[in-house]
Amino acid sequence: QIQLTESGGGSVDSGGSLRLSCAAANFHYFSYCMGWFRQTPGKGPEGVALIDNDGKTNYADSVKGRFTISRDSANNLLYLQMNSLKPEDTGNYTCAYSRLRNPNGSTWLGLESTCFELHFKGRGTQVIVSS
């Protein structure tokens, strides 16, 4: 059974930093795109950051300059370095992987994507930022 597991969430004060990680178990595929999205109660999912195998990245405007997405393709690992955290960054952060490149491009949760739907998802890790 394919399983993505996030770690690194927690509670921090405004201005603090966290580094999220995502590991894949029983995932014997190459992931062309990997991404992070977040969700808070009462709101729909919001794409936070996306990276493809060519190293192309896209970020939500709200996190540009503060968050950095990176990946270890050989081991199907994904990271999100979050600096200068704000209370509005609070939410459940989930990683998602896609196997398939979309040569026509697409949109994934508000982010420009070079992949078809990132349908492999974890359960998320909670991030709480206090003012």
Side-chain angles (χ1 to χ4, degrees):
Q1 180 180 351
I2 294 172
Q3 187 171 4
L4 303 186
T5 303
E6 301 88 348
S7 61
S11 297
V12 295
D13 292 332
S14 181
S17 298
L18 286 172
R19 178 176 170 86
L20 305 184
S21 299
C22 178
N26 303 316
F27 194 86
H28 305 296
Y29 308 107
F30 169 74
S31 299
Y32 193 82
C33 285
M34 299 177 173
W36 292 94
F37 68 94
R38 64 188 179 190
Q39 195 160 9
T40 54
K43 293 180 65 176
E46 174 192 13
V48 174
L50 184 65
I51 184 169
D52 70 14
N53 192 57
D54 296 323
K56 182 178 179 180
T57 58
N58 279 297
Y59 295 92
D61 288 342
S62 59
V63 307
K64 282 180 182 176
R66 299 187 297 121
F67 290 12
T68 302
I69 189 171
S70 60
R71 61 187 285 172
D72 175 355
S73 297
N75 296 295
N76 268 325
L77 295 170
L78 180 67
Y79 305 100
L80 186 68
Q81 178 66 43
M82 305 188 296
N83 298 328
S84 302
L85 283 161
K86 304 176 181 180
E88 51 264 43
D89 294 320
T90 294
N92 190 60
Y93 284 70
T94 303
C95 62
Y97 290 8
S98 171
R99 295 173 53 194
L100 302 175
R101 179 176 179 267
N102 182 350
N104 296 318
S106 63
T107 302
W108 177 71
L109 299 178
L111 301 177
E112 290 186 9
S113 172
T114 54
C115 285
F116 290 104
E117 177 62 29
L118 283 69
H119 51 277
F120 296 105
K121 301 179 180 68
R123 292 189 175 185
T125 184
Q126 190 69 19
V127 171
I128 299 172
V129 184
S130 302
S131 58

